[in-house]
Amino acid sequence: MRQRSGGEQYYEPFRYYVRNKNYTLYLIGICVIVFFLQTLIHPFTYYFVLSGSNLYARPWTLVTHIFLHGNMGHLFFNMLFLFFFGPVLERRVGSDKFLFIFLFCGLLGGLGHVLTSPDSAVLGASGALYGVLGTLVILEPDMLIFVYFLPMKITHAVVLLAAFDILMSGSGDMIAHTAHLSGLLGGLLIGRYLKQGSVKKRSF
């Protein structure tokens, strides 16, 4: 993380990957391997995707659905997001906490989808990624990111993304907007908890 004039921060992910061991690359690797298994083994997705109708019979799908993806584009953009934002949060909170945030918010995203759309299946890491984004917006609110090549503070980007998901909920566009919002909410709450803990430590 470097400092720009005016207090804005930006991040160099490649330098982090060279210098640090991290869980971000492991998660990316798992998602890529799982996608190839989905492609090679026809019933693989069926047994690990999450839906309200199979949750009681297959409770593990609350976690396994996070690592499944619908197509190559879905996988690519989710992993690109994780590649750039995962190391930022992992360095900020530590690898163990980062992994917890990723899995917890992914699970929360799945639950949010099941509760609002019990008859449809959900797969993908988007809920977990929104949790990463939500935690970052609390811990690093001045971080500068690029949205469709436009620079903006992460705070403004999250507001726009949340507004879009709220407006598009129930649209039937095959995107799990409720999972996004549920994961984001989890990340915001975790970020607030971590920030309060950091403030208390500095006050002593």
Side-chain angles (χ1 to χ4, degrees):
M1 190 82 65
R2 287 187 176 180
Q3 195 79 18
R4 280 190 173 183
S5 59
E8 291 180 340
Q9 297 173 332
Y10 68 100
Y11 177 65
E12 298 177 347
F14 295 99
R15 183 172 297 180
Y16 178 87
Y17 280 115
V18 170
R19 293 182 177 179
N20 297 273
K21 293 181 179 180
N22 60 88
Y23 287 152
T24 302
L25 282 181
Y26 291 117
L27 291 170
I28 291 173
I30 291 170
C31 288
V32 170
I33 291 170
V34 167
F35 181 74
F36 280 108
L37 290 174
Q38 289 179 254
T39 305
L40 295 172
I41 305 172
H42 181 68
F44 189 91
T45 301
Y46 173 79
Y47 286 109
F48 295 104
V49 72
L50 173 65
S51 72
S53 61
N54 69 17
L55 180 56
Y56 290 107
R58 299 172 189 156
W60 59 84
T61 57
L62 275 172
V63 175
T64 57
H65 83 278
I66 300 170
F67 301 97
L68 302 173
H69 287 85
N71 53 54
M72 184 64 76
H74 188 203
L75 174 72
F76 175 78
F77 286 108
N78 273 358
M79 295 305 99
L80 186 66
F81 182 105
L82 182 57
F83 178 84
F84 280 103
F85 291 100
V88 186
L89 182 60
E90 188 169 354
R91 185 174 67 172
R92 181 68 167 75
V93 303
S95 293
D96 291 340
K97 288 180 182 176
F98 164 75
L99 183 61
F100 171 80
I101 291 167
F102 182 89
L103 294 175
F104 176 78
C105 292
L107 187 151
L108 196 63
L111 280 176
H113 178 83
V114 166
L115 291 174
T116 56
S117 304
D119 296 325
S120 66
V122 64
L123 75 173
S126 298
L129 298 177
Y130 269 69
V132 169
L133 198 62
T135 307
L136 275 175
V137 78
I138 299 298
L139 300 180
E140 303 286 352
D142 294 323
M143 188 172 71
L144 188 66
I145 67 173
F146 289 85
V147 179
Y148 295 108
F149 306 104
L150 297 175
M152 65 177 66
K153 286 187 177 182
I154 190 172
T155 307
H156 302 153
V158 167
V159 170
L160 289 175
L161 289 172
F164 174 78
D165 280 315
I166 291 170
L167 290 173
M168 295 301 292
S169 294
S171 64
D173 61 357
M174 303 301 291
I175 297 175
H177 296 287
T178 307
H180 294 177
L181 293 169
S182 300
L184 179 63
L185 178 61
L188 291 171
L189 293 174
I190 292 172
R192 186 172 179 82
Y193 173 79
L194 292 174
K195 191 167 188 176
Q196 286 177 340
S198 178
V199 169
K200 287 178 180 178
K201 286 181 180 179
R202 287 199 298 266
S203 65
F204 284 100

